[in-house]
Amino acid sequence: MPAEPDTIAALSTPAGTAALAVVRICGPNTAALSAALAGGAPPPRRALRRDYHDREGRLIDDVLMTYFPAPRSYSGEDTLEISCHGSPYIVQTLLEDLHARGCRPALPGEFTQRAFLNGRIDLSQAEAVMDLIQARGERALHAAHQQLRGALSERMEGLIDRLLSLLAQIEAYIDFPDEDLPEEDKASVINHLSDLLADTSHLAATSRFGEMLRDGVKTVIAGEPNAGKSSLLNRLLGRERALVSPEPGTTRDFLEERIIVGAHCLRLIDTAGLNPAPAPLEELGMMRTRERLAEADLILVVIDGRRPEELWTDEIRILSRDPRSIIVLNKSDLSEFVDWDGATSSPTLAVSALTGAGMEALFQAVVARVDAYSLEIGADAVAVSARHAFALAAARAELECARANLQHGAAAELTASHLRGALSAFGEITGKVDNERMLDQLFAAFCIGK
Amino acid sequence: MGSSTLLLTGNIDTIAQMSCNPAIGGQAKGQMVREIDALGGEMAINTDVTGIQFRLLNESKGPAVQSPRAQCDKKAYQYRLKHTLELQPNLEIFQATVTGLLISQGRVRGCQTNLDLDFRAATVVVTTGTFLRGLMHIGQNKNEGGRLGDFAARTLSASFVAAGIELRRLKTGTPPRILGRSIDFTRMEEQKGDHQPTFFAFHDTRRDGELFHVEHTFERRLGWAPGCEQVSCWTTHTTGETAQIVRDNLHLSAMYSGEIEGVGPRYCPSIEDKFVRFADKPRHLLFLEPEGRATNEYYVNGLSTSLPFDVQVRLVRSIPGLEKAHLLRPAYAVEYDFAPPTQLFASLESKKVEGLFFAGQINGTSGYEEAACQGLVAGVNATNKVRGVPPLIIGRQEAYTGVLIDDLVTKGTNEPYRMFTSRAEHRLLLNHGSAELRLLGHAAKHGLLGADRLQRITEKRDRIQHWVSRLESERCPGITWGDAIRRHERAAIEHPDFARESLPVRQEVAYRIVYKGYLEREQRQVEKLAQMEHVRLPVDLDYLSLRGLRRESAVKLAAIRPLTLGQASRISGVNPADISILMVHAAAGRAGESR
C-alpha cells in the first residue's frame, strides 16, 4: 500500500519582495490545517480575510485565505492558498509556522508533479512547467550556494564531519565486535554529542533566514573624506543623524540606519572616508571600511562632484567599476560641479545632499537595483532558508534523542538510528551524505582487519 | 525452479572450497546467510551441518545487529556441498575450464572450453572468483592462479573486453596456514563456542530431522545433538619484534614495492598496512582458527601479508605461541580482474550482453556470503529470463541481499565490497530472525521453496502477528502486556499461553514489541520511499533527450539506466528536481502504454 503523501507548503509567487506573496499548501492535512487557521471549516473557493496567528498566538500578517478542496484545485489535492504581504520576512515566518504545524517544504516542481499525477494537467502542460522546474531548481541551487558560501558552508561541513566521527565511534562497535578495538568511551561520545548539539542549535538560531532578508540589503556609503557621505546618509534618512562637520575624517565609527525604499529594507552603513594618506588614527577606521565594503550588497560611491576623474584615487576608481556600485556625484548645487559621464556600467547620478536635488532619481536607481537583486535570489533565498531551518530543527531533535539514548544506555543501533537521522537532515542542506564518508572515518580511526 | 542447468568448473574437487578463512557468517554476513536459507539456498544448512564452532556476535546489543557466525570443517563443507549438487535434479556438473563466451547479435549463446567442447545455453551466469587473470604475489615471487595450488582463467577476460565490458583489477590477501602440533596453545587465550549454538537455517520451518552433522555426511537425515563437541579458536597478538620485522622488510613486500596494481580492501588490511597506517598501535590481535576436525591445519586470522616467505617465517615465529610454528602454506596476495558492477542491471544481467549474468567477485565483492547471495539471485534471474518472467529484485528494506545488489549496480565499488550493517539504512528491519518472513513473498512468487515450507512460514508469520496484537491489547492487568514489557515490568514469557510458543516465534514477537517505536519509525520511512520504488523506468528511456533534465544528470542516468525511480534517486549527483521530471515522464509513459 503506497504511503499517504506528505502535506507540503511553499511560496508560489516568484519574487521575494512584491506587494503580495502567495503561499500554497497541499496534501491530506490541508483541510484540518485550513480549519485551524481560518477558525472553522472554510467554504470552498471563497477568499476569506483573516489575521494569521502563529502557533504561539503571535499575529504575523493580515492575509487572504482561499481553500480549494480536491479534486478541483491546481494539484488535484486539497489546497489552501494564503495571500500575504510580499515581505520576505513575513513569508519566511509564515512558512516556518506551517512547518511547525507539520507541513514539509515542497521540492522543486512538486505541485506540478502532483497536478500531473492526479490528472489535472496533461503532458504538454507539464513539460512547459518542467522547464521552469529545472530553471527554478538551478536558481534555488544558486541561492543555496550563495548562502552556503563562506562561513555557513564551512560550519555545515564541520558539523557533518563531527557527526560522522561520532557515528563511526558507534558503528565500529556494532559492525566489528570481534576486533581488537579500544575500550568504548561512552562519556567522551556524550560530551562530543553535547557540543555538536549546542553548535547545531546556535547555527539554527543565527541562520534562521538569510542575512539580507533579516537585516535588509547591506548598503555601504563609501568615498573620499569630505565627499559628503554623512550628508547623503542624513538626506536618505530625511533627518539629521550622522555627525556632519566640514572637517574631513569626522566619521570614525560606523553609523547604521534602516530605511524602507519601495518594498525593500535597506541597511545603510556610513563609513570613514577612504583617505589616500591617512593619519595614524584613521588607519583603523579605513581598514574597517574595507571590511564593510567586502561584504556589501550595494555600494553608494560618493564623489565630490567638483573633483574631475583624473583626481580620483585608485581605490575610488576601482570601486566605481564594482558591479555592486551606484555612483553618486555629490554637491551638484555648487558652481564648480563637473558632470561626469565616465565609461562604467554603474548607474551614475548627480545629487545635492545639501538641497535634496536629484534624490528622487537616486531612490529610483536604488529600487531598480534591489528589485533586480531580489528577483535573482530573493524568492529562492526564502525557500532555501526555510528548508535550512526545517532541516536544522529536525537534526537537533534527532541529536537530542541520540544523547538521551546514550545516557540511558540504550542499544547502540538505536542511538545510531538517531545519529543517521541527524545526518540525513544535515544532508537536506548540503546534499546527501554518503555512508562511504562514515566508513572513511571509521577505517581511519580504527584498525579493522581480522 | 526446475530449469535445466549445467555447472562448468575447472575442478570439481574444489567446488565450495573456502579460499580464505573457514568461517561463515559474522556481522551482516550472518543475516545474509539466513536470507539465503529463506530463498532456498544451501549455504545455511551446509554451515549448520559442517560447523564445528558456533557463536552469536553482539549478544549484548539489540537483535537487529546480532549475527550468527560459525567455524566450519573446511573439507566437510566442501564435500557436503559437492554431494548436494550431485544429487540435485536437473543439474549437470562437468569439469572444464571456460575459455571464452559465444556471443552473437548482442546476446550470449553459450561458452567455449579448454577441451574444445562448446556448450550452448540461453543464459550464462559467470562466477569467476579470483581466477580471472589471477596473479599471486609472495614478495617478488609471482604465480598465475586464483588460489594457491590452482590455475588461472587466462583467456576469458578477452571475451568480456571484446563484448565491450570494462574490466579493472582488485587485490585481496590471505594469511599463512600453520601446523597445529607446532603451536604452543598454552601461550594463547581460548575462545570457545556458545553453549547453545545459533544456527543459520530456519529449522523450525524446514522439515524435522534435516539437521545432521559432519560425521554423518553420507547418512542423510540423521539427527545430531546440537552444541556437542565444538572446537575452540585461540587468540594471540603481534609483538614489538613482529613490528620491527615488518618495518625492516617493507620494501620486499609485493604491496609496497609497486608489484601490485589492484586495489585492496580497507577492512582487511595486510599486516604491513596495519603497522604502517596505525604505527602507534603497539600490537595487533590474531586468531588461530582450526580448519577442520580431520586436519591439524590452522588459519592465522589477521596476518595476511605479501612479504617474502623467509620473512613470513620470522614474522610468524615472533608471535607468542608460534615460536616453533611450522608453515604449511605461505601467505600471499592475489590480484584478479573484476567487471565494475554498474555495468549490470539490478537483475545482475549485463547491460551489454543480453542473457549474460555476473555474480560474486567478478562484481567487485569479497566474501562467501556476498557471493552466494548474488549467485542465488543471478541464477533465479537467468531462469526468469528464459521464461520471460520479470526478474527477482529484492528491495533495500527487505534484505541485505537487496542492499548489496543495489549498491553494486547503482554506485559501483572501488575496493572489494564487503557488507556491513551500517550500509543498510533500514537496518532495524533486517534482524536475522525475520529473514524468511521478509522474503516470503519473493520465495513464493519465484518458486524457491516447497509448498509445505511456504505454508509453515505463512503460519509462523500469522502466529507472530497474532501474538503481537494480542500482547498489545491484552491487559495484565491495568496496562497492556506490550507496555508492561517495554517498561521492563513483565517479560512476555510470563504470559502463560505465550510461553508455549516456539523459541523463534517468541523471539520475533519480543523484538517487535520491545522495539515497537523504532520499527514503526523505520517502517514509515520505508513507506515514504515505496512510492518511488514502485515507479518503474523504461530500460530504453532516452535520458539525453528528456526535456528539462540537466545534462550532467542525464549522462549519469544514461550510464546506470536505473529500473525504478528509487534507484535513480540513489545515483550520486541526481537531484530532487531531476526526480520530479523523471516522475512526470514515467507517468506519461505509463499513460501512453495503456492507451
Side-chain angles (χ1 to χ4, degrees):
Chain A
M1 200 183 71
E4 197 169 61
D6 293 332
T7 300
I8 54 175
L11 177 64
S12 298
T13 39
T17 304
L20 282 178
V22 177
V23 169
R24 194 185 270 159
I25 300 149
C26 104
N29 196 29
T30 307
L33 192 62
S34 303
L37 292 174
R45 288 175 293 282
R46 272 241 316 274
L48 299 177
R49 187 163 176 182
R50 289 286 185 274
D51 283 341
Y52 189 109
H53 292 278
D54 71 8
R55 286 208 309 177
E56 267 96 61
R58 283 182 299 249
L59 176 66
I60 293 181
D61 196 13
D62 166 22
V63 302
L64 284 178
M65 298 182 188
T66 316
Y67 177 62
F68 301 89
R72 285 177 58 199
S73 69
Y74 175 70
S75 65
E77 294 171 24
D78 288 348
T79 299
L80 179 70
E81 290 186 357
I82 302 176
S83 299
C84 60
H85 289 97
S87 140
Y89 176 80
I90 290 173
V91 172
Q92 173 75 35
T93 315
L94 211 142
L95 280 173
E96 283 186 11
D97 182 60
L98 289 170
H99 294 160
R101 291 172 189 264
C103 300
R104 113 174 126 67
L107 298 171
E110 203 171 0
F111 287 105
T112 304
Q113 178 196 307
R114 289 191 182 190
F116 177 79
L117 295 176
N118 292 321
R120 295 292 293 170
I121 57 174
D122 65 19
L123 181 62
S124 62
Q125 287 172 302
E127 275 191 333
V129 180
M130 261 184 253
D131 292 343
L132 284 176
I133 294 174
Q134 196 62 60
R136 198 178 154 71
E138 291 287 314
R139 231 171 46 228
L141 202 67
H142 178 72
H145 284 156
Q146 290 258 323
Q147 293 215 344
L148 278 175
R149 68 169 186 232
L152 178 59
S153 163
E154 262 169 46
R155 288 172 72 182
M156 279 311 304
E157 283 304 312
L159 292 180
I160 288 174
D161 273 339
R162 285 159 63 194
L163 177 54
L164 284 171
S165 149
L166 284 173
L167 191 54
Q169 297 274 334
I170 308 254
E171 294 286 358
Y173 292 88
I174 294 176
D175 261 336
F176 304 99
D178 245 13
E179 298 277 352
D180 183 21
L181 302 179
E183 195 70 22
E184 203 169 349
D185 188 353
K186 288 234 168 77
S188 138
V189 172
I190 291 175
N191 285 340
H192 282 115
L193 183 54
S194 294
D195 291 347
L196 183 64
L197 191 52
D199 290 348
T200 306
S201 304
H202 182 66
L203 187 61
T206 54
S207 75
R208 215 176 60 125
F209 45 87
E211 203 182 351
M212 185 191 93
L213 301 168
R214 185 179 63 221
D215 292 341
V217 179
K218 205 180 283 173
T219 308
V220 174
I221 303 176
E224 288 180 48
N226 214 15
K229 300 180 293 295
S230 301
S231 305
L232 182 72
L233 173 66
N234 286 339
R235 180 56 69 181
L236 288 166
L237 294 174
R239 59 191 162 93
E240 292 280 320
R241 173 65 178 81
L243 177 61
V244 187
S245 96
E247 295 294 313
T250 316
T251 309
R252 292 209 183 86
D253 284 313
F254 296 99
L255 286 171
E256 288 200 14
E257 283 292 337
R258 274 158 220 224
I259 56 167
I260 303 293
V261 182
H264 305 292
C265 174
L266 258 54
R267 180 174 155 201
L268 291 172
I269 302 160
D270 190 15
T271 60
L274 295 164
N275 192 343
L281 192 62
E282 282 179 285
E283 286 273 19
L284 184 66
M286 284 182 52
M287 210 169 79
R288 290 171 59 192
T289 297
R290 291 189 185 106
E291 285 170 13
R292 294 300 159 111
L293 281 170
E295 56 193 35
D297 299 313
L298 177 68
I299 302 169
L300 299 179
V301 186
V302 186
I303 289 165
D304 185 335
R306 294 169 302 180
R307 288 167 66 84
E309 194 188 354
E310 307 86 76
L311 298 177
W312 295 2
T313 61
D314 285 347
E315 193 159 16
I316 293 295
R317 236 182 275 278
I318 291 166
L319 271 184
S320 73
R321 287 195 289 267
D322 192 298
R324 296 170 296 171
S325 290
I326 291 177
I327 299 167
V328 182
L329 299 174
N330 193 17
K331 309 191 184 180
S332 64
D333 55 308
L334 298 179
S335 58
E336 303 95 316
F337 182 83
V338 227
D339 209 350
W340 175 75
D341 188 21
T344 167
S345 57
S346 306
T348 306
L349 296 125
V351 306
S352 167
L354 192 68
T355 66
M359 287 306 289
E360 200 47 46
L362 177 60
F363 275 123
Q364 280 174 19
V366 167
V367 169
R369 171 58 63 95
V370 181
D371 273 346
Y373 191 59
S374 292
L375 264 178
E376 197 182 320
I377 73 154
D380 298 317
V382 170
V384 167
S385 53
R387 219 185 292 280
H388 286 183
F390 186 76
L392 287 171
R396 220 166 60 181
E398 295 282 5
L399 292 174
E400 267 164 10
C401 290
R403 184 169 64 179
N405 267 351
L406 278 168
Q407 284 161 344
H408 300 145
E413 69 275 20
L414 303 183
T415 304
S417 163
H418 289 297
L419 292 180
R420 289 158 159 230
L423 191 61
S424 105
F426 281 156
E428 297 281 319
I429 298 174
T430 59
K432 204 165 164 186
V433 184
D434 197 278
N435 191 55
E436 275 304 303
R437 269 181 73 183
M438 188 282 293
L439 291 176
D440 286 343
Q441 292 235 13
L442 197 161
F443 293 126
F446 297 100
C447 181
I448 302 294
K450 274 179 66 173
Chain B
M1 296 178 83
S3 53
S4 163
T5 310
L6 168 68
L7 174 73
L8 283 175
T9 171
N11 185 352
I12 288 179
D13 288 335
T14 56
I15 286 175
Q17 164 131 331
M18 298 183 176
S19 310
C20 209
N21 64 331
I24 298 285
Q27 273 314 92
K29 292 163 173 272
Q31 283 93 323
M32 295 172 87
V33 178
R34 305 214 75 186
E35 290 168 8
I36 289 168
D37 190 63
L39 293 170
E42 280 293 319
M43 184 175 244
I45 187 77
N46 209 54
T47 303
D48 289 349
V49 169
T50 64
I52 53 180
Q53 188 209 55
F54 294 87
R55 287 172 61 222
L56 183 64
L57 304 187
N58 266 344
E59 221 174 336
S60 62
K61 298 194 170 72
V65 295
Q66 292 177 359
S67 310
R69 183 183 189 278
Q71 297 293 141
C72 289
D73 186 305
K74 186 166 163 176
K75 284 292 153 193
Y77 185 93
Q78 179 189 335
Y79 289 145
R80 186 192 175 275
L81 202 57
K82 174 172 172 264
H83 191 52
T84 303
L85 295 182
E86 287 162 356
L87 299 176
Q88 177 68 38
N90 299 317
L91 180 69
E92 282 182 55
I93 306 173
F94 189 69
Q95 179 164 312
T97 302
V98 174
T99 51
L101 291 172
L102 299 169
I103 296 168
S104 67
Q105 287 145 2
R107 231 202 124 104
V108 71
R109 310 284 167 180
C111 48
Q112 300 163 311
T113 64
N114 62 329
L115 306 177
D116 293 329
L117 294 172
D118 289 357
F119 294 89
R120 307 226 145 231
T123 52
V124 172
V125 181
V126 179
T127 59
T128 48
T130 55
F131 283 64
L132 209 53
R133 295 205 303 127
L135 185 62
M136 295 171 289
H137 298 262
I138 304 171
Q140 307 300 304
N141 171 275
K142 291 188 201 57
N143 284 287
E144 283 186 21
R147 177 171 52 215
L148 210 58
D150 277 310
F151 61 97
R154 296 166 72 177
T155 60
L156 188 53
S157 293
S159 210
F160 296 132
V161 173
I165 294 166
E166 184 204 344
L167 297 178
R168 296 218 298 261
R169 297 287 270 177
L170 283 177
K171 170 245 144 189
T172 188
T174 190
R177 313 299 202 269
I178 291 174
L179 185 62
R181 65 183 168 85
S182 69
I183 301 173
D184 179 3
F185 290 109
T186 63
R187 302 206 54 193
M188 300 188 180
E189 266 187 59
E190 188 172 7
Q191 191 182 48
K192 286 177 183 269
D194 292 343
H195 180 66
Q196 180 66 48
T198 303
F199 292 112
F200 291 86
F202 288 94
H203 296 286
D204 55 326
T205 59
R206 281 174 165 267
R207 264 165 307 194
D208 293 340
E210 224 176 47
L211 184 62
F212 58 104
H213 205 244
V214 50
E215 289 83 359
H216 311 290
T217 301
F218 301 105
E219 302 165 52
R220 304 203 89 192
R221 310 221 190 294
L222 269 180
W224 170 72
C228 68
E229 293 179 60
Q230 292 193 51
V231 301
S232 293
C233 293
W234 302 82
T235 63
T236 179
H237 52 81
T238 62
T239 59
E241 194 191 339
T242 321
Q244 197 56 48
I245 295 169
V246 169
R247 277 195 273 273
D248 289 348
N249 294 284
L250 209 53
H251 60 288
L252 299 173
S253 160
M255 265 166 292
Y256 279 82
S257 60
E259 297 288 326
I260 292 181
E261 49 171 302
V263 183
R266 287 173 299 177
Y267 48 80
C268 190
S270 61
I271 196 72
E272 294 94 304
D273 274 343
K274 290 184 192 179
F275 282 119
V276 170
R277 290 184 42 223
F278 294 90
D280 53 344
K281 197 173 173 193
R283 57 189 227 180
H284 296 275
L285 189 65
L286 302 172
F287 294 77
L288 278 106
E289 302 178 4
E291 295 229 327
R293 289 188 199 275
T295 174
N296 200 222
E297 203 169 335
Y298 278 78
Y299 178 99
V300 194
N301 202 339
L303 202 64
S304 146
T305 179
S306 62
L307 284 163
F309 183 68
D310 59 324
V311 181
Q312 288 185 24
V313 174
R314 282 191 285 140
L315 188 72
V316 166
R317 291 182 181 167
S318 70
I319 293 163
L322 299 180
E323 293 85 351
K324 294 177 180 162
H326 174 68
L327 276 68
L328 290 165
R329 307 175 208 240
Y332 60 93
V334 58
E335 280 185 286
Y336 54 96
D337 285 349
F338 82 109
T342 48
Q343 302 174 92
L344 303 176
F345 292 115
S347 60
L348 295 179
E349 185 182 9
S350 165
K351 291 171 190 168
K352 285 267 163 57
V353 182
E354 202 180 347
L356 182 65
F357 293 76
F358 285 158
Q361 275 164 306
I362 193 169
N363 288 339
T365 62
S366 113
Y368 312 132
E369 303 82 355
E370 286 86 347
C373 285
Q374 294 171 67
L376 201 156
V377 170
V380 169
N381 286 335
T383 296
N384 285 339
K385 175 90 187 174
V386 174
R387 296 179 181 169
V389 171
L392 164 63
I393 293 173
I394 299 171
R396 298 181 68 92
Q397 77 288 358
E398 292 177 311
Y400 281 98
T401 306
V403 174
L404 170 73
I405 294 176
D406 183 69
D407 273 352
L408 291 177
V409 302
T410 309
K411 295 182 189 163
T413 185
N414 294 319
E415 66 179 329
Y417 180 109
R418 172 177 151 188
M419 185 50 71
F420 306 114
T421 69
S422 75
R423 296 199 197 263
E425 57 275 42
H426 312 296
R427 169 166 65 193
L428 300 180
L429 301 179
L430 304 184
N431 59 311
H432 72 80
S434 67
E436 62 176 355
L437 309 173
R438 288 184 262 127
L439 295 168
L440 175 61
H442 289 302
K445 186 173 169 197
H446 295 272
L448 305 179
L449 296 176
D452 50 346
R453 182 161 174 212
L454 287 173
Q455 180 62 32
R456 277 192 288 270
I457 298 173
T458 309
E459 282 163 13
K460 177 176 164 185
R461 184 196 62 192
D462 294 346
R463 277 209 307 285
I464 289 167
Q465 283 167 354
H466 162 82
W467 272 111
V468 169
S469 48
R470 186 164 163 195
L471 290 175
E472 290 293 358
S473 56
E474 216 168 90
R475 297 183 178 267
C476 67
I479 56 171
T480 62
W481 275 89
D483 284 335
I485 292 163
R486 281 186 288 274
R487 292 181 202 169
H488 305 289
E489 288 169 12
R490 303 293 288 261
I493 196 83
E494 293 170 27
H495 191 289
D497 296 338
F498 186 64
R500 284 196 288 272
E501 278 295 344
S502 71
L503 183 65
V505 168
R506 290 204 314 263
Q507 284 174 335
E508 184 64 19
V509 168
Y511 179 54
R512 292 191 188 185
I513 285 177
V514 173
Y515 289 79
K516 181 168 181 259
Y518 281 90
L519 294 176
E520 284 175 352
R521 174 181 140 110
E522 291 218 337
Q523 199 56 49
R524 277 196 303 275
Q525 290 164 357
V526 166
E527 279 162 14
K528 271 190 164 177
L529 295 169
Q531 283 172 301
M532 299 230 287
E533 294 301 330
H534 288 137
V535 178
R536 300 193 63 80
L537 296 172
V539 171
D540 53 0
L541 192 58
D542 183 4
Y543 291 98
L544 296 171
S545 70
L546 273 197
R547 190 160 158 195
L549 213 52
R550 287 177 313 146
R551 175 90 195 156
E552 183 199 347
S553 311
V555 168
K556 284 185 175 154
L557 287 160
I560 300 291
R561 286 199 266 160
L563 295 180
T564 64
L565 201 60
Q567 193 190 348
S569 73
R570 289 188 292 274
I571 299 171
S572 70
V574 172
N575 71 22
D578 298 324
I579 294 301
S580 287
I581 288 163
L582 283 181
M583 187 177 262
V584 167
H585 279 292
R590 273 204 310 277
E593 276 165 29
S594 62
R595 266 201 293 273

